[in-house]
């Protein structure tokens, strides 16, 4: 049996059509009506309103010093000696910067009036805005305030260039980047159980927030895959280690938390469905 990750197995035209139909139905159920101008979804707003009305904060002394967090949030490399929980908070703050920046760049340059609610891409763009909000909410449980900072220049160059690449090429890069993103979020979500188990209520809140992101990101991976044929999926598979190293280099906190080998092994497994297996609202394509 081949050890090739499923995500690089091409879909037949029938499977592609079926995927698009199922994925759109999932997005509509999950997100509700997309409001592109305000970058919002009807259903998702309700979810966040509920969270805002019932905020959860860790009790007792802060586990991350806000001054250390604020200082390091804008540094490429964290200061020497920063503890694990601070590294976790910094990784959380930095993880969605590239995606959000890329989406901001794209939305400023496309005619949003022409965006259709029949196109998964419309939902995917808006979901990325929610991810930044989700990460802010997760850090607020620790009493931290995350700022909207841009990604490092090298990543920004890549995300902005993607906008001008022909679709066949940009989808290749996007598939790899989404796999790296889903892997990173899964590792961060798992780490919360080590770091915050002492206060179950706040752990549950952080967990629920990560669930929002992970379910979305795994959907993005499947969508990017559906846009590629056999030849380009083969190239994407070959590119994954390079894209993984490139993106992870920009968030050194990941390597400090998990080690380079574990990070890259997880990325290359590309087992995105396992990353959401525990969530009832996940999207798992069923191909007949
Ligand atoms: Fe994201
Ligand atoms: Fe994504």
């Amino acid at each position: 049996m081949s050890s090739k990750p499923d995500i690089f197995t091409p879909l037949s035209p029938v499977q592609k059509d079926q995927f698009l139909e199922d994925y759109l139905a999932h997005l509509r159920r999950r997100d509700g009506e997309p409001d592109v101008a305000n970058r919002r979804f009807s259903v998702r707003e309700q979810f966040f309103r509920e969270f805002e009305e019932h905020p959860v904060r860790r009790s007792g002394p802060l586990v991350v010093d806000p001054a250390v967090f604020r200082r390091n949030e804008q540094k490429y490399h964290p200061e020497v000696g920063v503890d694990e929980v601070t590294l976790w908070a910094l990784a959380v703050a930095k993880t969605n910067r590239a995606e959000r920046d890329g989406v901001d760049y794209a939305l400023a340059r496309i005619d949003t009036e022409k965006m259709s609610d029949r196109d998964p891409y419309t939902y995917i763009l808006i979901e990325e805005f929610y991810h930044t909000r989700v990460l802010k909410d997760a850090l607020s449980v620790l009493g931290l305030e995350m700022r909207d900072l841009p990604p490092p220049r090298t990543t920004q160059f890549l995300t902005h260039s993607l906008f001008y690449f022909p679709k066949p090429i940009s989808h290749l890069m996007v598939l790899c980047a989404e796999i790296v993103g889903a892997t990173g979020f899964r590792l961060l979500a798992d780490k919360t159980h080590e770091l915050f188990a002492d206060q179950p209520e706040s752990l549950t809140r952080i967990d629920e927030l990560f669930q929002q992101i992970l379910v979305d990101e795994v959907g993005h991976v499947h969508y990017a895959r559906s846009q590629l044929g056999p030849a380009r999926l083969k190239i994407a598979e070959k590119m994954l280690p390079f894209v993984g190293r490139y993106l992870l280099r920009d968030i050194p906190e990941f390597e400090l938390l998990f080690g380079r080998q574990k990070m890259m092994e997880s990325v290359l497994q590309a087992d995105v469905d396992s990353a959401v297996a525990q969530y009832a609202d996940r999207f798992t394509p069923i191909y007949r």
Side-chain angles (χ1 to χ4, degrees):
M1 217 175 80
S2 134
S3 60
K4 192 182 171 95
D6 279 354
I7 210 72
F8 296 113
T9 309
L11 302 180
S12 69
V14 174
Q15 288 175 325
K16 273 188 193 182
D17 287 348
Q18 191 202 331
F19 165 81
L20 274 180
E21 202 180 299
D22 293 351
Y23 186 44
L24 261 179
H26 161 87
L27 290 169
R28 286 218 191 87
R29 220 173 23 245
R30 178 171 175 73
D31 294 334
E33 283 295 316
D35 172 357
V36 182
N38 295 305
R39 301 166 181 192
R40 283 192 186 153
F41 292 124
S42 52
V43 171
R44 209 59 87 93
E45 279 304 305
Q46 280 165 24
F47 173 89
F48 281 100
R49 213 167 303 132
E50 224 156 87
F51 270 31
E52 271 159 22
E53 280 164 14
H54 305 101
V56 174
R57 296 277 179 278
R58 276 182 63 88
S59 57
L62 294 175
V63 282
V64 176
D65 179 341
V68 175
F69 174 78
R70 204 171 169 81
R71 221 169 43 229
N72 280 275
E73 196 189 11
Q74 51 197 350
K75 283 189 198 297
Y76 177 78
H77 207 286
E79 291 162 1
V80 178
V82 167
D83 64 11
E84 239 194 347
V85 66
T86 308
L87 286 174
W88 180 88
L90 289 168
V92 168
K94 293 178 173 183
T95 303
N96 206 53
R97 279 183 194 168
E99 282 195 283
R100 179 179 163 119
D101 183 67
V103 169
D104 253 334
Y105 192 82
L107 278 176
R109 284 159 182 79
I110 50 184
D111 183 357
T112 49
E113 301 269 302
K114 288 196 184 130
M115 289 175 74
S116 154
D117 63 358
R118 291 278 318 146
D119 183 355
Y121 188 58
T122 304
Y123 294 82
I124 290 172
L125 286 180
I126 302 175
E127 284 182 347
E128 291 303 342
F129 284 96
Y130 280 100
H131 294 176
T132 302
R133 191 161 158 192
V134 160
L135 297 173
K136 272 186 188 161
D137 285 356
L139 289 175
S140 75
V141 175
L142 308 189
L144 298 172
E145 218 176 288
M146 174 188 134
R147 286 172 289 166
D148 285 334
L149 296 172
R153 293 244 167 136
T154 42
T155 303
Q156 200 169 42
F157 175 72
L158 178 75
T159 51
H160 291 188
S161 312
L162 275 180
F163 182 73
Y164 300 102
F165 283 178
K167 279 259 165 2
I169 298 180
S170 64
H171 280 307
L172 279 175
M173 304 287 286
V174 168
L175 173 61
C176 293
E178 296 281 14
I179 292 171
V180 179
T183 308
F185 284 123
R186 182 67 263 161
L187 287 169
L188 289 175
D190 289 342
K191 194 77 182 169
T192 58
H193 293 261
E194 266 174 52
L195 298 175
F196 310 118
D198 60 326
Q199 295 190 16
E201 197 195 357
S202 54
L203 175 62
T204 303
R205 172 58 60 94
I206 297 173
D207 246 353
E208 285 168 343
L209 288 163
F210 269 90
Q211 177 175 353
Q212 288 288 314
I213 294 195
L214 272 158
V215 170
D216 288 347
E217 297 294 11
V218 171
H220 300 179
V221 173
H222 282 292
Y223 176 68
R225 177 229 201 158
S226 78
Q227 300 298 299
L228 297 169
R232 284 185 292 139
L233 279 168
K234 218 173 243 161
I235 301 171
E237 192 180 5
K238 295 247 163 9
M239 273 171 50
L240 181 61
F242 301 101
V243 177
R245 273 196 287 273
Y246 188 92
L247 293 177
L248 293 170
R249 205 186 46 200
D250 269 355
I251 310 179
E253 287 82 357
F254 272 106
E255 197 177 314
L256 291 165
L257 276 171
F258 306 108
R260 185 182 303 191
Q261 202 184 339
K262 183 179 172 191
M263 277 300 318
M264 283 310 292
E265 272 170 18
S266 307
V267 166
L268 297 181
Q269 267 172 3
D271 188 5
V272 293
D273 292 326
S274 293
V276 289
Q278 61 198 287
Y279 305 134
D281 58 345
R282 69 187 181 276
F283 173 72
T284 316
I286 297 160
Y287 301 115
R288 285 169 207 99

